Amino acid sequence: PGMARRAPPGEGSSATGRRRPREEPPQVPEVGATFTVAWVDGQRHRGEIVERRVRRGVESAEEDLQAADYDYYVHYCDFDRRLDEWVPLERIDVATRCAADAAPGGAPGAP
């Protein structure tokens, strides 16, 4: 009585008293999916995930790997394939998956 209840560990609250939702780790981007990807110079372009590989130095069982444990080979859709490159997850905006990729039977390259 009279004492404020503290949030359990892992359940933070903001200055307004609202609880912050726990952040889920990002899903592993699938080969064939298209996202907005930051190029080396920082500009953002549409890119298709062509391949993925486990990053150097990561030693986990396949089922324990997280999205950040991979590098992704990206083809920038409006550019020559000579500019394709391996990128870390940090350069892929996983929230920008193209609708054509998300819907079964979508036309490739459709916005």
Side-chain angles (χ1 to χ4, degrees):
M3 296 185 69
R5 181 182 168 278
R6 295 180 70 180
E11 287 187 22
S13 61
S14 67
T16 61
R18 293 186 207 145
R19 290 186 183 191
R20 285 179 277 163
R22 290 186 184 186
E23 287 189 28
E24 293 291 324
Q27 290 187 344
V28 177
E30 298 172 20
V31 171
T34 303
F35 300 92
T36 300
V37 182
W39 211 355
V40 177
D41 64 2
Q43 289 186 349
R44 298 166 126 359
H45 300 282
R46 194 167 53 99
E48 177 185 353
I49 307 295
V50 177
E51 189 177 343
R52 73 174 181 227
R53 67 179 180 199
V54 177
R55 296 182 85 164
R56 290 186 181 147
V58 173
E59 296 180 16
S60 296
E62 184 73 27
E63 63 271 4
D64 295 333
L65 292 173
Q66 305 273 328
D69 294 331
Y70 293 97
D71 282 325
Y72 302 88
Y73 196 68
V74 173
H75 167 65
Y76 296 98
C77 297
D78 297 324
F79 295 90
D80 191 287
R81 290 204 179 272
R82 291 178 296 159
L83 299 173
D84 294 0
E85 63 177 339
W86 288 100
V87 300
L89 179 68
E90 296 82 39
R91 289 182 38 201
I92 301 171
D93 186 350
V94 294
T96 62
R97 183 171 181 167
C98 291
D101 294 331

